[in-house]
Amino acid sequence: MGGFNSFVKLFMPKDRVFYSLFEDVASNLVEMATVLNELVATTDLAVRKDKVHLIERLEHKNDDYTHRIFVELGQNFITPFDREDIHYLAATLDDVADYIHGSAKRMDLYKVHYINDSIRKLAELILLGVMELHKAIPELRNMQNMRVITDACVKINSLENHADDIYDRAIADLFDTEQNAAELIKMREIYQALEIATDKCEDCANVIETIIIKYS
């Protein structure tokens, strides 16, 4: 199926290719965030390791999509919206993937055996955020259903605010209860990577809002 899609894209008007690639990225992010939630839901260390490896493969796939967007940007004079907006949206979407991967990688490298509620909740908010991006991005093709886009962006902003609250409470609890300095640093880095992923979702929403303001 992937080969057929690539074949179809060869005959797609060049400015349409960007929409397809952004939609591929959005779908990939949903898959990455889903696997992250599966990772934090299991106590089986072998399963967790498999999930980390899967997220890593999906992150490489995301890098490929991002590279293709940048190549198309360099080769095409006609683009569906401003070149800088295409570049920034691709970069911020790639950042979401990087921080999902970074979160999973840290949990693996730091040998975190106990996954607490704060980690699980932040992972859930990441998934909810990328699902909203997955709703909004296909609507950029024609911008006829602006309500879907704006509702998704508002929801992402709300999710990011919720993530900030969870992060702040988690860090406060960490400093209150963790006596081991090394463990404190490890957990803080994991919380930060998860929370930054939600920040990057909000950055994506802000770019999308900029695009629809310019072209609506």
Side-chain angles (χ1 to χ4, degrees), residues 86-170:
I86 292 174
H87 189 281
Y88 191 32
L89 182 56
T92 52
L93 287 166
D94 191 54
D95 285 342
V96 177
D98 287 343
Y99 280 99
I100 292 173
H101 176 228
S103 302
K105 187 176 180 181
R106 283 171 175 81
M107 283 183 252
D108 180 46
L109 291 176
Y110 297 161
K111 298 178 173 60
V112 176
H113 298 299
Y114 174 66
I115 302 293
N116 60 36
D117 287 341
S118 295
I119 291 174
R120 283 193 290 269
K121 189 60 182 175
L122 287 168
E124 180 186 355
L125 292 173
I126 292 168
L127 176 57
L128 292 173
V130 298
M131 287 173 69
E132 292 300 320
L133 290 173
H134 191 261
K135 292 177 188 175
I137 285 173
E139 298 299 329
L140 293 175
R141 280 184 179 268
N142 50 41
M143 299 197 193
Q144 291 181 352
N145 199 344
M146 302 296 282
R147 184 63 180 270
V148 171
I149 301 175
T150 56
D151 284 354
C153 291
V154 169
K155 183 68 180 294
I156 290 168
N157 290 334
S158 175
L159 292 168
E160 195 277 331
N161 289 335
H162 191 186
D164 281 346
D165 291 340
I166 292 170
Y167 172 77
D168 289 342
R169 286 197 299 270

